[in-house]
Amino acid sequence: MKQNQRFIKEFDCNLFSSKTRRNGLMKTIGLALVASMFTMNSCSPDYELGEKDPDWLGNSIYEYLSGDGNFKNTVRLIDDLNYKNVLAKTGSKTLFVADDDAFERFFKKNDWGVTCYEDLTTAQKKLLLYGSMINNACQVAYLSSSSGPIEGDCMRRETSASIFDSVPLLTPEEMPLTPYWQYYRDNNKTIPCFCDGSGTPMIHFIEAFLTNKLISNDDCNFLFNYESDRQPGDANVNGVKMIKQNIKCSNGFIHQMKEVTVPLDNMATIIDKKPNTSKYAKLLNRFCAPYYGGESATIEYNRIFKTDYDSVFTKRYFSLRSMDGTKLEETPAKGPVNGTLKFDPGWSSYYSEGNAGTSMNVALQENMGVMLVPSDQALDRYWNEGAGKVLKDYYGSWENVPDKVISKMINVNMLNSFVNSVPSKFNTVLNDANDELGLSTECVDSVWLGCNGAIYLTNKVFNPTAYVSVSFPALINDNMSIFYWAIEQCGYDVYLNSQQSYYSLFIPKNDACLQYIDPCSYGKPETQIFKFKYNPNALESRDKVKGSIWRYNVETGEVGDSISEANYDQIRNRLEDILNTHIVIGNVEDGNEFYKTKGGTSIRVINAQAGKNGMKVQGTSQIDRNKEIAIVDIYDESYEGNGKTYIIDEEPIMSGSKTVCDVLESTPEFSEFWDLLEGSEYVETKHVIGTQEHGTAGRNISLFNTFQYTVYVPTNAAIKRLHNENKLPTWDDVAAAEEEMDEEKADSLTNEIHMFLKYHIQDNSFFIGAGNVSGKFETFAYDTDNENVSYHKLTTNSDNSQISVTDELGNTRTVTKTPGLYNIMVREFQYDSGDATSATAIYTSSTAVIHQIDDVLYYKKGGNK
């Protein structure tokens, strides 16, 4: 007899023996037959339970197979495994069988190295029998229905096989060359290691499912490498065509297959076994480790196999979704992992995301995954001359590329849904920027079906946009890990990976993140700073960045005593604010000086043409403190990317504490406008929305609503002239009307002042030095007519030398450009608490720029004319 390849440990135990299967399943048989009277999904409607099998049911499964004469190999499997009593009695089974001619072809060519029936081990016999059997009586039409039943929603089912039917013994030579396996390699330990701790389902493509999921016959031909031409009504199980359907027996159904049906490996095992994916397998296995199977499993294994191993293990992959849909983010030694996969490719019972409220069994039936796996030749091209060359240039070898970087490439080639990843739907497959991936049939050389998904062998590597993103420097540099952690925790990776935009991204190094002035402290008695630190040893990804809060003197820059540790929500809230103030959509080297950030704040860029030899940047905090942050490095990769990255190492770009009111009150040239605003109803120290109260750092403009604005302040002389000409009332005039008890007059005068103020506050922030802008923009002033609101507008023309504003009467005013009286940036915060002194998070904010203009602005219909 030809020696089998070392394959599977054989065993015979009481717990998992045929007797145990029979006794347990006989109970199920009775229940199933009773249920069938009501559901009628698989059995004839005329069937009633009785003392014997009804005549219309015919012979049992065993009697049919043994009496036919063409299924001798299958009958031998049943007899050898002591399963005759189950399949010869009334019960509820479905068997997918091959005739003896198919077995003859199987013995001539198979992956097990067996040449005849006698070569089969007991374990292999169990795989052939139990892996081709399900514990329900199912016609072909019912196979496509998931529990419910939901017709046309099922493509996978659990079989009668047990995870103990095949338990490979893993030798040191077969173990991945990673630290997680090193102990067993160094000590020459062979270990029992489950390929996966979950069962191995069968996959089947049935007409109703394919129709319901819009999977075409040509899609199926692609999946079978165009070696078949699917016709309507064809059924397929584990890649084998069904040639005779619905053979009715007293205890279930038989479906005859064209070839011997063998349980499919999971995707990880297939990649491991294929000789032309060995390099990709090596990368993939960097994310796997042997996990202890538990005391009871070890005892049971030793009892079954009559061995004395001290442990049994399961091979699992670090992933966001592993067995039972839970994440696996710690090593067997309870240490942190360096990177995680999108899902565990060795999880045989994998089910897709998006099945909230669905049982795991039903979710398993409905879908599976897909992996795009490049051939060794394709991976070499990618590394040496393709998009992966950036990794080669930076790291030198695959071995030097960190797991967290490699995971980006592997994950973009892992697809969550098989149903949505067939050729007719390739245009809907997206990359890590939610753009079309570019998958086509020309990219796929072969398809291999696994029990948990399909592997598309590709002739190219689909590059993650993370490698051509402006955030890439933060991914590959450990001294920028805090910023990259924030990108991932706040979900900004997809945004920054977009290849449809051009970004200028400012990245503070980790040391710079020790100097973040907390905006939430602007409303407290003492200013505070956050010190962010990265902890690579944290088990949970959300715990890798810690923050501590300290007292801080803004004027001297001195750090005082530690106050407390920040919690995750506080850390995420502040780092998201940092992200928003460090992202500019556009090129900050286009010759302008002021640029709007993603969060709506504006920053000032100085001496951009000097690059890292003199380029500097400021936020409002830096401007207020007369500080310029130097750019210490610039990443402008030669490969095609989506922007440019600027590195800073002193402190983050930050917003100051000044509000519009602070600036107006402290600037004598703005005193007349401030007198009007201070007396109005538009100054608040607490913003109220329904029952919610949000404290402020100081006196905010109540009109502002999480946007950017421009405040035009006429000269004191211009406002006084209006007062003197009785064209604009003062608050003294209002007070006088109130003293006279003339409420109507007081209200009218108040409205005039309010309209004047609102017409001088315009939507959007316009700077001298922010490029050319021209157009009409709304102000806060409006009229109502039959409940229709009409906002008054200003026409603004702005460039790098001047801003002119034309009102609705055609008067054009210009910014005076007196130093200190224009391009004044402010930001007004609202907090999560009505009491600003107890605020823990930024709720929202608005920004504004203040300019002095040479005269007042007039609007039509009432008010000043």
Side-chain angles (χ1 to χ4, degrees):
M1 181 185 301
K2 178 179 178 181
Q3 180 65 38
N4 287 1
Q5 299 174 350
R6 191 201 58 77
F7 180 74
I8 301 170
K9 186 75 175 179
E10 299 181 27
F11 69 90
D12 183 19
C13 66
N14 292 331
L15 181 62
F16 295 95
S17 66
S18 297
K19 179 180 179 181
T20 303
R21 293 179 191 269
R22 181 173 65 251
N23 291 339
L25 291 173
M26 288 303 292
K27 296 177 182 178
T28 305
I29 289 170
L31 293 173
L33 287 174
V34 171
S36 69
M37 296 176 62
F38 298 95
T39 64
M40 310 313 289
N41 285 316
S42 55
C43 298
S44 168
D46 299 323
Y47 176 62
E48 295 181 3
L49 286 174
E51 296 298 323
K52 66 176 183 177
D53 297 341
D55 293 337
W56 62 263
L57 280 176
N59 295 327
S60 68
I61 291 175
Y62 184 83
E63 289 170 336
Y64 177 87
L65 294 174
S66 59
D68 183 277
N70 291 315
F71 300 98
K72 296 183 179 65
N73 286 282
T74 301
V75 172
R76 288 184 69 181
L77 290 174
I78 296 170
D79 291 339
D80 288 354
L81 296 175
N82 297 318
Y83 216 63
K84 174 181 176 181
N85 285 340
V86 175
L87 295 180
K89 302 289 185 180
T90 300
S92 183
K93 294 287 184 181
T94 300
L95 200 59
F96 301 87
V97 302
D99 62 19
D100 293 331
D101 289 340
F103 265 95
E104 184 176 347
R105 293 190 294 272
F106 172 77
F107 290 131
K108 290 180 179 179
K109 184 180 180 181
N110 60 77
D111 293 333
W112 294 355
V114 296
T115 60
C116 61
Y117 184 89
E118 288 71 22
D119 287 350
L120 293 171
T121 66
T122 300
Q124 288 169 339
K125 293 175 183 178
K126 290 178 179 180
L127 290 178
L128 289 175
L129 181 62
Y130 303 141
S132 299
M133 183 191 309
I134 55 179
N135 295 328
N136 283 298
C138 292
Q139 303 180 61
V140 169
Y142 179 64
L143 285 175
S144 64
S145 298
S146 61
S147 299
I150 303 175
E151 187 177 356
D153 208 38
C154 180
M155 64 165 292
R156 292 198 297 164
R157 287 184 182 276
E158 294 179 331
T159 68
S160 301
S162 161
I163 62 171
F164 281 91
D165 286 346
S166 58
V167 187
L169 286 173
L170 204 58
T171 66
E173 294 77 17
E174 297 168 310
M175 297 176 184
L177 298 174
T178 67
Y180 310 112
W181 300 84
Q182 186 172 349
Y183 169 80
Y184 307 101
R185 292 197 313 271
D186 290 349
N187 290 276
N188 198 31
K189 290 176 69 76
T190 294
I191 59 173
C193 189
F194 293 96
C195 293
D196 174 44
S198 62
T200 302
M202 64 166 56
I203 64 173
H204 45 67
F205 298 134
I206 310 299
E207 187 71 32
F209 173 82
L210 299 175
T211 300
N212 184 42
K213 301 300 181 181
L214 303 178
I215 299 175
S216 69
N217 287 342
D218 193 58
D219 289 333
C220 291
N221 294 339
F222 165 83
L223 295 172
F224 297 119
N225 298 299
Y226 298 104
E227 294 175 356
S228 62
D229 184 16
R230 188 184 186 280
Q231 300 300 313
D234 285 354
N236 181 288
V237 176
N238 283 0
V240 179
K241 184 178 180 180
M242 196 180 295
I243 59 175
K244 191 173 182 181
Q245 305 177 5
N246 303 328
I247 301 172
K248 183 171 59 178
C249 298
S250 63
N251 56 345
F253 287 93
I254 295 172
H255 305 295
Q256 185 177 345
M257 311 304 295
K258 183 177 181 180
E259 305 294 344
V260 174
T261 305
V262 179
L264 299 174
D265 289 326
N266 60 52
M267 290 187 285
T269 302
I270 293 173
I271 296 169
D272 265 342
K273 287 182 177 181
K274 294 295 183 180
N276 55 345
T277 59
S278 60
K279 294 184 178 181
Y280 197 80
K282 187 176 180 180
L283 298 179
L284 192 65
N285 282 331
R286 287 169 61 166
F287 298 86
C288 74
Y291 286 82
Y292 177 53
E295 181 180 2
S296 59
T298 302
I299 293 172
E300 187 62 28
Y301 179 89
N302 285 328
R303 189 185 69 80
I304 292 170
F305 292 110
K306 298 180 175 58
T307 57
D308 59 353
Y309 284 101
D310 55 10
S311 303
V312 296
F313 299 88
T314 299
K315 182 181 180 182
R316 298 182 64 188
Y317 288 77
F318 314 138
S319 54
L320 298 178
R321 299 183 65 244
S322 186
M323 282 195 299
D324 299 328
T326 59
K327 62 183 178 181
L328 182 61
E329 290 186 308
E330 65 179 28
T331 68
K334 306 299 182 182
V337 301
N338 298 317
T340 53
L341 303 179
K342 186 182 293 185
F343 57 78
D344 186 338
W347 174 25
S348 295
S349 295
Y350 165 85
Y351 57 88
S352 299
E353 292 180 288
N355 295 88
T358 302
S359 69
M360 286 187 288
N361 181 53
V362 172
L364 175 149
Q365 294 177 352
E366 294 175 344
N367 211 338
M368 60 183 187
V370 171
M371 291 184 69
L372 310 177
V373 179
S375 66
D376 289 344
Q377 294 81 1
L379 192 61
D380 284 343
R381 285 196 303 272
Y382 172 78
W383 177 259
N384 292 313
E385 57 195 64
K389 192 174 184 298
V390 63
L391 300 179
K392 180 181 179 181
D393 292 343
Y394 191 82
Y395 293 107
S397 69
W398 278 115
E399 288 72 23
N400 293 332
V401 183
D403 291 350
K404 67 175 183 178
V405 178
I406 288 180
S407 66
K408 300 294 183 182
M409 185 264 289
I410 294 177
N411 285 338
V412 80
N413 289 276
M414 300 181 85
L415 309 181
N416 180 62
S417 170
F418 164 80
V419 167
N420 294 323
S421 304
V422 293
S424 60
K425 305 174 186 179
F426 276 173
N427 64 320
T428 67
V429 178
L430 306 179
N431 62 16
D432 51 337
N434 281 344
D435 296 323
E436 187 174 338
L437 181 64
L439 184 60
S440 67
T441 55
E442 290 75 21
C443 302
V444 180
D445 290 341
S446 297
V447 178
W448 302 316
L449 293 177
C451 66
N452 60 346
I455 295 173
Y456 297 169
L457 179 69
T458 60
N459 49 43
K460 63 175 290 185
V461 176
F462 291 93
N463 194 48
T465 56
Y467 291 176
V468 292
S469 168
V470 286
S471 64
F472 183 62
L475 171 64
I476 63 176
N477 285 285
D478 290 340
N479 62 359
M480 305 176 198
S481 54
I482 293 175
F483 196 81
Y484 199 80
W485 180 89
I487 289 173
E488 294 194 314
Q489 290 293 309
C490 297
Y492 279 39
D493 45 351
V494 173
Y495 176 81
L496 290 172
N497 288 346
S498 173
Q499 301 300 296
Q500 309 305 313
S501 300
Y502 184 96
Y503 299 105
S504 294
L505 179 66
F506 295 85
I507 299 180
K509 291 184 177 180
N510 288 354
D511 286 346
C513 294
L514 296 171
Q515 301 292 329
Y516 174 70
I517 302 175
D518 181 19
C520 281
S521 69
Y522 291 156
K524 298 178 180 180
E526 290 182 300
T527 305
Q528 301 165 357
I529 65 168
F530 269 58
K531 290 178 176 285
F532 298 107
K533 292 186 178 180
Y534 189 80
N535 178 18
N537 296 318
L539 293 180
E540 293 283 341
S541 58
R542 60 180 280 151
D543 295 331
K544 289 188 181 296
V545 170
K546 293 296 183 182
S548 55
I549 306 172
W550 302 70
R551 292 184 174 88
Y552 183 69
N553 188 312
V554 178
E555 293 182 359
T556 65
E558 293 181 0
V559 178
D561 296 333
S562 172
I563 298 174
S564 64
E565 294 294 317
N567 61 38
Y568 171 80
D569 291 334
Q570 290 175 297
I571 293 169
R572 189 182 184 278
N573 178 262
R574 305 310 194 277
L575 286 174
E576 184 169 11
D577 185 61
I578 291 177
L579 287 175
N580 284 329
T581 57
H582 286 67
I583 301 170
V584 174
I585 305 173
N587 182 5
V588 297
E589 297 182 36
D590 62 3
N592 297 325
E593 183 179 357
F594 292 94
Y595 298 89
K596 188 179 297 183
T597 67
K598 179 183 183 299
T601 62
S602 293
I603 61 172
R604 183 186 181 206
V605 176
I606 307 166
N607 203 20
Q609 70 278 4
K612 62 182 180 181
N613 296 314
M615 180 178 178
K616 297 178 181 180
V617 64
Q618 293 178 309
T620 55
S621 174
Q622 284 80 29
I623 292 174
D624 292 344
R625 292 180 286 128
N626 197 28
K627 181 178 180 61
E628 298 175 347
I629 305 174
I631 304 300
V632 298
D633 206 353
I634 298 176
Y635 286 80
D636 185 16
E637 307 295 350
S638 57
Y639 60 87
E640 182 180 356
N642 65 344
K644 214 167 186 178
T645 311
Y646 304 87
I647 311 303
I648 55 181
D649 64 0
E650 297 177 63
E651 63 185 34
I653 302 169
M654 295 179 287
S655 299
S657 61
K658 291 182 180 179
T659 65
V660 171
C661 293
D662 292 335
V663 172
L664 296 180
E665 183 180 34
S666 63
T667 307
E669 292 84 352
F670 297 157
S671 59
E672 291 295 325
F673 191 84
W674 167 240
D675 286 344
L676 294 174
L677 181 63
E678 184 182 25
S680 74
E681 62 184 33
Y682 302 135
V683 177
E684 65 180 8
T685 57
K686 182 185 296 183
H687 191 74
V688 180
I689 307 175
T691 59
Q692 293 184 352
E693 295 184 349
H694 300 285
T696 64
R699 293 164 297 181
N700 283 8
I701 303 297
S702 62
L703 299 167
F704 289 178
N705 186 25
T706 315
F707 197 59
Q708 311 90 46
Y709 305 96
T710 301
V711 180
Y712 298 110
V713 181
T715 63
N716 288 339
I719 296 177
K720 288 179 179 178
R721 187 188 74 244
L722 286 187
H723 290 326
N724 294 334
E725 295 174 354
N726 294 322
K727 293 182 178 179
L728 176 66
T730 65
W731 290 115
D732 288 341
D733 295 332
V734 175
E738 290 175 341
E739 288 181 4
E740 296 170 0
M741 307 295 290
D742 191 339
E743 185 177 342
E744 182 177 351
K745 180 180 179 181
D747 289 345
S748 176
L749 296 175
T750 298
N751 182 64
E752 285 188 52
I753 297 174
H754 284 168
M755 287 290 284
F756 175 84
L757 291 170
K758 290 189 291 185
Y759 194 58
H760 285 77
I761 304 176
Q762 183 182 37
D763 286 352
N764 299 291
S765 294
F766 302 104
F767 290 84
I768 296 175
N772 298 335
V773 178
S774 180
K776 286 188 176 182
F777 302 93
E778 291 181 347
T779 67
F780 279 108
Y782 65 88
D783 289 325
T784 57
D785 181 19
N786 296 325
E787 297 185 357
N788 294 319
V789 177
S790 175
Y791 283 90
H792 294 285
K793 298 179 181 180
L794 293 170
T795 301
T796 300
N797 290 282
S798 173
D799 57 32
N800 286 342
S801 62
Q802 184 56 272
I803 294 177
S804 63
V805 187
T806 303
D807 62 28
E808 290 180 338
L809 297 186
N811 302 300
T812 298
R813 313 305 187 194
T814 60
V815 172
T816 62
K817 292 189 68 174
T818 302
L821 300 183
Y822 71 104
N823 281 355
I824 305 172
M825 295 189 292
V826 297
R827 185 178 181 190
E828 301 192 347
F829 293 93
Q830 294 178 24
Y831 302 124
D832 60 341
S833 169
D835 180 4
T837 62
S838 61
T840 61
I842 302 167
Y843 175 73
T844 188
S845 70
S846 297
T847 61
V849 58
I850 303 169
H851 303 292
Q852 186 184 68
I853 54 175
D854 56 6
D855 209 338
V856 297
L857 300 167
Y858 298 93
Y859 57 90
K860 291 181 180 179
K861 296 184 179 179
N864 300 297
K865 294 184 179 178

